[in-house]
Amino acid sequence: MAELQFREAIRAAIDEEMAHDENIFVMGEEVAEYDGAYKVTEGLLDKYGSKRMIDTPISELGFAGIGVGAAMNGLRPIIEFMTFNFAVLAADQIINHASKIRYMTGGQISIPIVFRGPNASAGQLSATHSVSYDSMYAHFPGLKVIYPSEPDDAKGLLKSAIRDDNPVLFMESEQMYGLKGEVSEEDDYTIPIGKAKVKREGADVTIIAHGKMYHVATQAAQKLSNDGVEAEIIDPRTVKPLDMETVVKSIKKTNRCVIVDEAHPFGGLAAEVGYLIQREAFDYLDAPVQRVTLPDTSAPFAKNLFDEWFPSPDQVIEAVNTVTYRK
Amino acid sequence: MAKKKEKNKDVTFTPTGTGIRSNGQIVRSTELPDPTEKTHKDLGLSDQDVVDMFEQMYLQRRFEERAMQMYQKGKFGGFLHLYMGQEAISTGTTYALNDDDDIITAYRDHGWGLVRGVSAKEGMAELYGKVTGCSRGKGGSMHFANVKEHFWGGYGIVGGHIPLGGGIAFANKYKQNGRVTACFLGDGAVPQGALHETFNMSQNWGLPCIYAVENNGYAMGTAVHRHSVGEIVDRADGYGMKKKVINGMDVFTVYEAMKEISEDVRENSMPWFVEIRTYRYRGHSMSDPMKYRTKEELEQYEKLDPVERVKRYLLDNDLADQDKVDEIQNSIEDEVMEAIDFAEESDFPDKDDLYNDVFVEDDYPFHT
Ligand SMILES: Cc1ncc(C[n+]2csc(CCOP(=O)(O)OP(=O)(O)O)c2C)c(N)n1
């Protein structure tokens, strides 16, 4: 095991995969000479040269589409978006093209591409720079969506994503790039896409949280524990495919569930998981499922409003109190 | 049977453009055309106009220098993209346009806000995220706006506001009110599809809009010649648009060109594409290590400083003496310091503000 920052774990995954497959290249804004806007790709230009580390103009639609075309024709692109907020400009290529080409050609064409970069808010950057997109992309058949919360998951899952023959969206969080954690140094360490992980065991309530929200949930769980409530935390890690088996198993044990999601409430992952739980574990629930999400408004700039807007451990505790009928 | 091509092993593929670090030689990011030789009298500007221009530019400079200090002290967060070095463009353009002509720009917008009627207080308060800010603390550094004064704001998605500029011009033409729109963007926005789609419609429909690139040599860390082929201004050719390249380090030059162009737009109701060459002194934002450019390049441009240039003009032509210049500078320093006090003393927005301005209705049923 090695202690790595989140960004270093991602870099290690890219580096290891690039080392053994010539067809992998990285393309995006400032990924090469600038070492990456968030320094994820630092040093890779020196190692792999400018054929495989490619700076692009600010042309999200264009370079995402060039990536899709290159993937159709046998390469394995890793497309970095400076943030998924800007990938909205490339949504046509991801949603209308990458996700559907295989289907429309009766399986003749594979698109082994990874679109990666920071998702959601990075703090006070206001409304256009703070949106969470994992649920949105998960809506479309043909796309896999990964949003890990810890460096080790990031490394193992990204390696799997790069090897996957489907288009995969790999979401990171700028607020987590500096986060340190133990990362496996095992040769060829991969984590299967679509497997949730029970990251904290507890018998009183199941909290489902991924990405940045995993850390919010963990803080809440610590406080709850001081209060005698033991929460079980499940990190789905991959939003699509989603591992409901692990979730249902936990609910059968705790009989209560809170979902914490960094998206807005309407039609997000929390809404979907809430539905699936009532379908698959209705008889085991002792209280209606609660969720903690962003409010139904865009991100404000002002610090106090932003803190109000962003899901907090206290909100999670409140939701747990509701499902446990404690307060 | 068709033959298969042999693999060509000799051709190397390095899709990077001509780079500073990759080919070892230092290439200046932009070359400035000559500034105008006309005096302020030739340009129809009064002595007082020139004094005012200096004041305006000095305010933009000082506001940002102080904002930078406050940011470094941790007084506020978010992105802070500084306009320093480019003040001649906002100022020259504003003087050239009518007060009810429309202006829209990207996120490097403090200078534009200040010259278009956002007070130093409202500007600083916005940086602090206070309710007294020009966007009520909701927008921050990238989203200054003063719509009352026809400044439609700064926008954070690169290229995203170009069609908006076209749309403002569309509405002006629709209403036949004779107003000109100036839509400013960075060189980094030129490769975006939105620009090309907007140009096509603008020319086809004769929209009264000046699309003006503030080419400061870099899109973040990528020098212009690494992100765009050919001359930026030549993009106009494909659409048959009128075009011009101008020196953006000299306020008179900007004023002269934008005056002529805006008159042409007003008269003929056809768009223009203008490339204004300039330089930004600071990094792209506060976290930028600036490894992509040389100190020498920065120093060369700093010698052409637009604020110093007007100051020298004032002194050399006896439009103001050193005492007068000092007095202006001191009073602007006071204005900026008061703005900081104002920002610090102002309140943050109310919690309920989170749900204000999302929709027009006060009683919209928000989802929970
Ligand atoms: C669509 C989109 N892609 C990427 C970004 C990130 N980004 C912000 S500013 C910038 C550079 C823009 O440079 P330029 O247009 O030349 O403006 P300047 O900063 O020089 O004023 C980039 C890549 C963004 N805001 N929006």
Side-chain angles (χ1 to χ4, degrees):
Chain A
M1 292 293 229
E3 167 131 304
L4 293 186
Q5 286 186 350
F6 205 89
R7 61 159 64 75
E8 292 166 340
I10 297 168
R11 186 188 308 142
I14 297 172
D15 192 356
E16 287 176 20
E17 294 303 300
M18 283 182 87
H20 79 66
D21 188 346
E22 272 267 303
N23 288 324
I24 299 171
F25 66 96
V26 178
M27 184 157 79
E29 289 155 25
E30 312 289 354
V31 297
E33 303 222 357
Y34 198 78
D35 282 333
Y38 296 112
K39 304 288 167 259
V40 169
T41 52
E42 192 163 24
L44 296 182
L45 172 65
D46 290 339
K47 198 157 171 189
Y48 295 106
S50 47
K51 179 180 174 185
R52 299 181 66 194
M53 293 299 301
I54 302 161
D55 282 325
T56 64
I58 309 173
S59 302
E60 284 82 3
L61 175 92
F63 69 75
I66 285 176
V68 175
M72 292 165 72
N73 196 12
L75 300 186
R76 305 186 76 86
I78 300 172
I79 303 294
E80 174 173 309
F81 291 117
M82 200 173 279
T83 94
F84 272 96
N85 291 276
F86 311 150
V88 173
L89 281 79
D92 173 60
Q93 289 301 326
I94 303 171
I95 295 170
N96 286 331
H97 294 88
S99 81
K100 299 179 166 61
I101 287 172
R102 180 183 187 80
Y103 184 73
M104 293 189 301
T105 58
Q108 294 180 69
I109 300 172
S110 297
I111 320 266
I113 192 168
V114 175
F115 300 102
R116 52 154 291 271
N119 180 46
S121 88
Q124 281 179 273
L125 299 184
S126 190
T128 55
H129 285 52
S130 310
V131 187
S132 195
Y133 290 95
D134 45 317
S135 292
M136 182 188 96
Y137 286 112
H139 184 70
F140 299 100
L143 301 174
K144 295 187 181 177
V145 182
I146 301 175
Y147 190 6
S149 63
E150 292 186 296
D152 188 59
D153 289 341
K155 184 179 174 192
L157 284 164
L158 182 53
K159 282 171 69 85
S160 297
I162 295 169
R163 293 177 190 194
D164 200 293
D165 284 335
N166 298 286
V168 181
L169 290 117
F170 190 90
M171 315 236 165
E172 299 145 22
S173 152
E174 195 211 317
Q175 288 184 28
M176 299 193 307
Y177 278 135
L179 183 87
K180 285 190 178 161
E182 292 293 323
V183 175
S184 168
E185 284 178 302
E186 224 176 275
D187 258 1
D188 249 6
Y189 177 66
T190 57
I191 295 174
I193 295 172
K195 281 268 164 282
K197 188 168 182 188
V198 180
K199 292 206 167 163
R200 184 183 197 282
E201 302 223 9
D204 300 326
V205 59
T206 300
I207 301 178
I208 302 167
H210 70 302
K212 255 180 289 185
M213 290 304 109
Y214 166 71
H215 300 282
V216 171
T218 303
Q219 282 177 41
Q222 273 152 9
K223 284 197 197 168
L224 283 164
S225 178
N226 298 339
D227 232 6
V229 177
E230 294 305 331
E232 178 144 303
I233 303 183
I234 296 178
D235 178 356
R237 305 192 291 196
T238 60
V239 173
K240 207 169 180 194
L242 182 68
D243 174 7
M244 278 305 290
E245 222 177 283
T246 305
V247 170
V248 169
K249 200 171 137 204
S250 173
I251 287 172
K252 286 182 179 169
K253 177 166 100 179
T254 64
N255 312 113
R256 300 159 203 275
C257 182
V258 169
I259 308 163
V260 193
D261 186 10
E262 204 179 340
H264 301 291
F266 195 98
L269 178 73
E272 180 65 19
V273 173
Y275 161 76
L276 291 171
I277 289 172
Q278 67 80 31
R279 191 180 73 185
E280 290 170 31
F282 184 79
D283 292 341
Y284 297 91
L285 286 175
D286 284 346
V289 174
Q290 291 289 317
R291 68 177 172 189
V292 176
T293 65
L294 295 172
D296 191 15
T297 68
S298 294
F301 170 73
K303 174 92 173 81
N304 70 321
L305 287 189
F306 180 83
D307 292 344
E308 186 71 22
W309 180 81
F310 198 72
S312 68
D314 285 345
Q315 282 170 278
V316 179
I317 291 170
E318 208 183 300
V320 169
N321 288 340
T322 305
V323 297
T324 52
Y325 303 109
R326 289 168 73 238
K327 280 178 192 159
Chain B
M1 231 176 61
K3 271 194 280 179
K4 285 194 179 168
K5 283 239 173 77
E6 287 288 308
K7 234 176 159 176
N8 187 345
K9 291 207 183 75
D10 299 333
V11 181
T12 54
F13 181 49
T14 50
T16 56
T18 41
I20 290 185
R21 216 163 84 180
S22 55
N23 66 5
Q25 89 199 58
I26 290 162
V27 191
R28 269 237 294 205
S29 57
T30 48
E31 290 297 336
L32 297 171
D34 290 335
T36 183
E37 284 175 7
K38 292 193 183 150
T39 66
H40 71 289
K41 292 245 165 63
D42 299 336
L43 293 169
L45 291 166
S46 71
D47 293 1
Q48 188 57 41
D49 286 337
V50 187
V51 175
D52 291 347
M53 282 173 160
F54 167 65
E55 260 188 52
Q56 244 316 317
M57 289 165 70
Y58 190 75
L59 171 65
Q60 293 171 45
R61 178 66 56 89
R62 209 58 203 133
F63 177 91
E64 288 201 318
E65 282 168 347
R66 286 292 184 198
M68 183 173 72
Q69 280 180 343
M70 295 304 120
Y71 186 89
Q72 283 163 340
K73 281 192 192 172
K75 298 279 190 179
F76 57 88
F79 283 145
L80 187 67
H81 306 98
L82 299 175
Y83 194 61
M84 283 186 233
Q86 304 182 210
E87 297 93 340
I89 301 177
S90 54
T91 310
T93 300
T94 297
Y95 277 82
L97 295 182
N98 294 341
D99 290 345
D100 64 352
D101 283 337
D102 295 291
I103 293 178
I104 185 168
T105 191
Y107 52 85
R108 205 176 289 284
D109 57 355
H110 308 149
W112 288 103
L114 290 172
V115 72
R116 266 293 171 126
V118 170
S119 67
K121 283 180 174 166
E122 292 165 315
M124 198 63 78
E126 190 58 38
L127 295 180
Y128 274 70
K130 298 296 179 76
V131 70
T132 48
C134 56
S135 300
R136 295 183 56 83
K138 289 274 190 66
S141 162
M142 298 192 286
H143 306 101
F144 278 27
N146 188 13
V147 177
K148 238 180 27 263
E149 302 293 337
H150 297 265
F151 173 52
W152 293 90
Y155 292 82
I157 298 293
V158 171
H161 73 292
I162 303 171
L164 306 181
I168 291 165
F170 182 98
N172 285 336
K173 183 151 188 171
Y174 197 92
K175 296 190 264 187
Q176 299 202 306
N177 60 17
R179 285 185 198 142
V180 170
T181 302
C183 175
F184 281 82
L185 47 130
D187 49 276
V190 172
Q192 283 287 26
L195 177 124
H196 298 274
E197 298 177 24
T198 305
F199 276 17
N200 185 50
M201 286 181 267
S202 299
Q203 180 71 10
N204 217 359
W205 300 343
L207 300 184
C209 192
I210 306 169
Y211 297 97
V213 175
E214 293 188 64
N215 177 358
N216 59 17
Y218 296 92
M220 265 184 87
T222 305
V224 178
H225 52 271
R226 293 186 60 241
H227 72 62
S228 288
V229 289
E231 296 292 331
I232 282 183
V233 76
D234 291 346
R235 303 292 188 281
D237 299 347
Y239 304 98
M241 260 160 94
K242 295 184 199 174
K243 66 177 185 183
K244 193 174 175 74
V245 180
I246 55 190
N247 180 317
M249 301 303 276
D250 176 56
V251 70
F252 288 177
T253 306
V254 176
Y255 173 82
E256 180 185 25
M258 290 305 263
K259 184 113 196 144
E260 281 172 20
I261 291 167
S262 60
E263 276 164 13
D264 184 80
V265 171
R266 216 180 299 283
E267 200 177 305
N268 301 310
S269 188
M270 287 302 281
W272 274 72
F273 186 37
V274 185
E275 180 187 344
I276 309 179
R277 304 236 176 113
T278 178
Y279 203 74
R280 73 166 146 71
Y281 291 170
R282 299 286 161 176
H284 166 69
S285 67
M286 298 300 286
S287 60
D288 175 3
M290 289 196 280
K291 283 195 289 192
Y292 48 84
R293 69 179 181 192
T294 59
K295 217 170 83 216
E296 292 73 30
E297 185 185 77
L298 175 60
E299 282 165 6
Q300 275 182 23
Y301 281 100
E302 276 174 339
K303 283 191 200 127
L304 307 172
D305 187 73
V307 183
E308 284 301 312
R309 196 178 165 94
V310 197
K311 184 164 50 175
R312 224 178 311 121
Y313 186 93
L314 285 175
L315 294 169
D316 291 351
N317 293 281
D318 296 324
L319 305 186
D321 57 16
Q322 187 62 47
D323 284 350
K324 174 78 186 161
V325 167
D326 289 345
E327 190 193 312
I328 291 172
Q329 295 191 166
N330 289 336
S331 99
I332 285 173
E333 177 70 11
D334 291 346
E335 189 180 341
V336 173
M337 294 313 285
E338 278 166 30
I340 290 172
D341 290 342
F342 175 78
E344 297 201 347
E345 285 157 17
S346 291
D347 290 328
F348 279 115
D350 201 67
K351 264 192 195 177
D352 294 343
D353 239 13
L354 209 49
Y355 291 89
N356 287 338
D357 305 323
V358 182
F359 291 100
V360 172
E361 299 88 340
D362 291 336
D363 57 352
Y364 177 84
F366 286 99
H367 209 78
T368 54

